[in-house]
Amino acid sequence: AAELEYESVLCVKPDVNVYRIPPRTSNRGYRASDWKLDHPDWTGRLRVTSKGKTAYIKLEDKVSGELFAQAPIDQYPGIAVETVTDSSRYFVIRIQDGTGRSAFIGIGFTDRGDAFDFNVSLQDHFKWVKQETEISKESQEADTRPKLDLGFKEGQTIKLNIGNMTTKKGGAAKPRVSGSGGLSLLPPPPGGKIAVPPIPPPSSTAIANHVTPPPVLKSSNVSSADILLDLDAPASAAKAPASATTDLWGDFSTASSAVPNQAPQQSNWVQF
């Protein structure tokens, strides 16, 4: 697996200064002011690469690209890369050769932005390493857990309700009764009766215009002529009082003479 891993470049800085540093006599940390900052021991190019979970700080020649020193880093922050206490542009790294020997040297950048990029590239790499470790750990825990068997057992079935279809076999779907306006109405309950609206009574005008014929007696002694005489009787009775009031003008003259204190009529008016 290590042979299949490829090397990727994380950061490249064209100018870096290398210093020999005195051994640390206490645990208070390194100070860049103790170094000869005006006279670096070596100047070249810095390249940060990664292969798998390990990062490498490589110091190379600017022209030929020949490797001057290399510092493998397994953890950051850690003993392989440390910051100084009095500046953000200088670091202490631990370089190693192929024989296993190691030494601590100081490196510094002229530009503060180069130092920031160098620091961030190492932080991003080991943040990715932490995430990969957590993911692999979770996958291993998932493999050890008992797996759930979600498959159907032999003879096991499942029922689905789709729309108005019933779950029973051979059952027919109930039809929907649609009313006006696109609204669906429920069908009447089984065995129920639909009430018929009552017929309104005929109006009084229709009753007045309707003439009901008189009842016909079923007696054999009464003939059809007698029935006609009965119908003519009211008409003759209505004509009797008309003869008593034939003289209408006489009544009017009598009434006028009965009125007292009537003013005398003028001579120029014609009396009717």
Side-chain angles (χ1 to χ4, degrees), residues 86-160:
D86 57 348
S87 178
S88 61
R89 296 186 291 113
Y90 297 92
F91 303 87
V92 176
I93 63 175
R94 183 184 62 184
I95 58 175
Q96 294 180 355
D97 57 5
T99 60
R101 295 181 300 177
S102 62
F104 291 92
I105 61 174
I107 60 174
F109 300 94
T110 305
D111 189 2
R112 195 177 301 276
D114 293 343
F116 177 79
D117 294 342
F118 169 75
N119 190 18
V120 169
S121 62
L122 292 176
Q123 289 179 355
D124 290 345
H125 171 72
F126 286 99
K127 186 183 295 184
W128 171 81
V129 171
K130 183 178 179 180
Q131 293 177 355
E132 288 292 322
T133 303
E134 292 177 354
I135 292 173
S136 61
K137 183 178 180 180
E138 290 178 359
S139 62
Q140 290 177 359
E141 292 179 355
D143 294 339
T144 56
R145 295 173 186 172
K147 296 182 179 180
L148 297 177
D149 186 9
L150 301 179
F152 287 100
K153 303 297 188 295
E154 184 177 358
Q156 186 177 4
T157 58
I158 186 171
K159 295 182 180 180
L160 298 177

